[in-house]
Structure formats: C-alpha cells, structure tokens
C-alpha cells in the first residue's frame, strides 16, 4: 500500500489527464473518495466515471477564485469533508526570456502559481470548515529547483510554488490548524505536456530519448511514479512532513 488514505476526501486539479489522472486513480484505489476537477469538464467526467462511486467530477478553472469557492463548497457538501488538495494543474511554454511574450509569462504564472495560491487558500478554508487535519500537495517540478534556459516562465512559476508551499506550511503550523503543505518535484514524466516538449523537433520518440539522456537513471518517469508520492503525502504516514520538497527526479538534482 502506498499510503493509508482510506476514508479521506481528496480534490485533485488538472485530473482529466497526465499526473492528475494517475494521482486521482491511485488515491481512489487506496480508499479515498476523489473530486476530479479540470477545466476540461468532459474529460473530468470521463475519469470520474471510470473510477466509479469513489469519484465525482467538477469543472474548475484554477485561475478563477469564484470557481474555487464554488467547487470547494460543493465538494464538502457532497462528501461531507475535505482532507487533501492536490494542486496539480499546470502548463508550460518552452521559450527563453527573450522570446517569451508578456502574455505568455502571465498565463503560465496564472495557472501554475495563482492557481496554487487559490488552491491553498480555499483548500485551507474547506478543511477548517469540516475540522480536517489535512494535507495540501503542490505539484512543482525539478524546474522549480534548477534552471533551464528555455523555460523562463515555467521555472519562475514552479520556483514560486516551492516557496509558497513553505509559507503556507509555516502559516498552518503556527496557527495550529494541523494542516500540512508540501511540494512535489517531478522530472520529465510521460504525460501530454512532456510529449508536447518532446515533439518540438518533429520526432516524438527522438525527443523523449533526448529528455531521457538528461536524467541520470536514463529514462523518463511514468505517471504512477508521481502518484505513489502523492498518496504518501496525502496519508498519515507523512504526518511529520510539512514545508518539505519531495523530489522524484531520477537523480537530476544530484548532479
């Protein structure tokens, strides 16, 4: 078992595909009830339908505070509580600082950083409303720990997630809420976003091979590699962890 989450209620953003979908599926498999949220409502419903009675779907644009207020309130009303928030929704633009437009910069930060801020803010509200001693898991990236010359906005936003996580963790600890907050830092994982990066040269297989060569273990990760980490951070087995960085990077940051 990856972690004891039976009876917990988890809200996962960006759960229609990729890491969010894998995390939601594993949380449900390990006994949690899961709120599948995504801007892609049809995709969220499809994932929830596949998971059965343990899951329900909501449309959520993480950049819109009104959406967060509505969805958190409805999740608590539907399931009776909220124990876990996985702030996973994210986008990337593969451009350096000179070629990146201000509009692209703002969009990446709106999704990757504003969305996490709102998820923390309203996740705390929902947990306190039902008295949960909960866990907030913010999906950052290895790019939030080390730089990349062609990911200016992505690195900035994911680095922001890292330190926002620490601030939220200390706030909740000092207030005595019993709510933990940790960041998760994956390397390249076989998801639609990474496939988009890999396809920029026209040959997806060659692109993935190039990315794999950047990882000391020699291969890109699978979504379940991150889902196991999510379940651990969601569980009471990680009860002493808050403000921490869980790095799942195949040795990248060890170089």
């Amino acid at each position: 078992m990856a972690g004891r989450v039976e009876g917990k209620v988890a809200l996962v953003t960006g759960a229609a595909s990729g890491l969010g979908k894998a995390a939601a599926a594993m949380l449900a498999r390990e006994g949690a009830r899961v709120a599948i949220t995504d801007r892609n409502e049809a995709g969220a419903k499809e994932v929830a339908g596949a998971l059965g009675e343990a899951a329900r779907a909501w449309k959520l644009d993480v950049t819109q505070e009104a959406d967060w207020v509505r969805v958190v309130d409805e999740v608590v009303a539907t399931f009776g509580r909220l124990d876990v928030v996985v702030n996973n929704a994210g986008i990337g633009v593969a451009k350096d600082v000179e070629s990146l437009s201000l509009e692209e910069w703002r969009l990446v930060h709106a999704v990757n950083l504003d969305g996490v801020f709102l998820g923390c803010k309203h996740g705390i509200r929902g947990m306190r409303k039902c008295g949960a001693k909960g866990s907030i898991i913010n999906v950052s990236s290895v790019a939030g720990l080390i730089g990349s010359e062609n990911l200016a906005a992505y690195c900035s936003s994911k680095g922001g997630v890292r330190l926002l996580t620490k601030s939220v963790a200390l706030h909740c600890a000092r207030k005595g809420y019993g709510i933990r907050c940790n960041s998760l830092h994956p390397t390249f994982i076989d998801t639609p976003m990474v496939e988009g990066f890999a396809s920029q040269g026209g040959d997806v297989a060659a692109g993935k091979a190039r990315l794999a060569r950047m990882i000391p273990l020699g291969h890109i990760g699978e979504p379940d590699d991150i889902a196991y980490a999510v379940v651990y951070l969601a569980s009471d087995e990680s009860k002493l962890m808050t403000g921490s960085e869980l790095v799942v990077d195949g040795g990248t940051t060890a170089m």
Side-chain angles (χ1 to χ4, degrees):
M1 181 177 287
R4 288 186 281 271
V5 295
E6 191 161 354
K8 295 183 185 293
V9 172
L11 185 159
V12 184
T13 69
S17 64
L19 299 184
K21 180 179 178 180
M26 194 170 289
L27 285 163
R29 189 187 81 188
E30 297 292 340
R33 292 173 290 169
V34 187
I36 308 295
T37 74
D38 203 287
R39 191 172 58 177
N40 175 3
E41 186 174 14
K45 287 181 177 179
E46 182 178 352
V47 172
L51 295 179
E53 293 297 318
R56 288 278 304 275
W58 277 267
K59 183 177 182 179
L60 171 63
D61 180 340
V62 297
T63 69
Q64 300 301 309
E65 187 162 20
D67 275 17
W68 274 106
V69 172
R70 172 183 56 81
V71 170
V72 166
D73 287 348
E74 289 181 5
V75 168
V76 173
T78 299
F79 291 121
R81 59 187 302 105
L82 177 63
D83 302 280
V84 180
V85 172
V86 183
N87 286 309
N88 165 75
I91 61 172
V93 175
K95 290 186 178 181
D96 61 45
V97 68
E98 290 188 277
S99 57
L100 190 72
S101 72
L102 181 58
E103 290 73 20
E104 289 168 326
W105 169 270
R106 287 174 171 167
L107 176 61
V108 171
H109 283 80
V111 176
N112 293 2
L113 189 52
D114 296 354
V116 174
F117 157 68
L118 291 171
C120 292
K121 177 179 179 179
H122 291 287
I124 292 168
R125 179 178 63 82
M127 291 173 188
R128 293 190 65 205
K129 185 176 182 179
C130 64
K133 305 298 184 183
S135 174
I136 298 172
I137 303 161
N138 295 331
V139 181
S140 178
S141 168
V142 68
L145 300 171
I146 59 176
S148 175
E149 70 276 9
N150 66 337
L151 292 173
Y154 190 75
C155 287
S156 172
S157 65
K158 292 300 189 177
V161 168
R162 171 178 173 266
L163 285 180
L164 171 63
T165 297
K166 295 181 183 299
S167 178
V168 171
L170 290 174
H171 167 74
C172 290
R174 302 294 189 228
K175 290 287 187 178
Y177 293 160
I179 297 171
R180 300 179 295 110
C181 186
N182 294 285
S183 58
L184 182 54
H185 298 260
T187 186
F188 300 115
I189 307 295
D190 195 1
T191 62
M193 180 187 292
V194 168
E195 188 160 308
F197 287 145
S199 67
Q200 288 185 338
D203 185 331
V204 175
K208 286 184 178 181
R210 176 179 55 81
L211 296 178
R213 289 193 294 272
M214 298 169 65
I215 302 170
L217 283 181
H219 59 85
I220 64 176
E222 301 171 356
D224 275 358
D225 293 328
I226 306 307
Y228 282 115
V230 167
V231 173
Y232 171 66
L233 290 175
S235 76
D236 294 338
E237 293 167 0
S238 60
K239 61 184 173 59
L240 196 59
M241 288 183 67
T242 196
S244 297
E245 301 152 10
L246 184 51
V247 182
V248 186
D249 73 346
T252 304
T253 55
M255 293 190 296

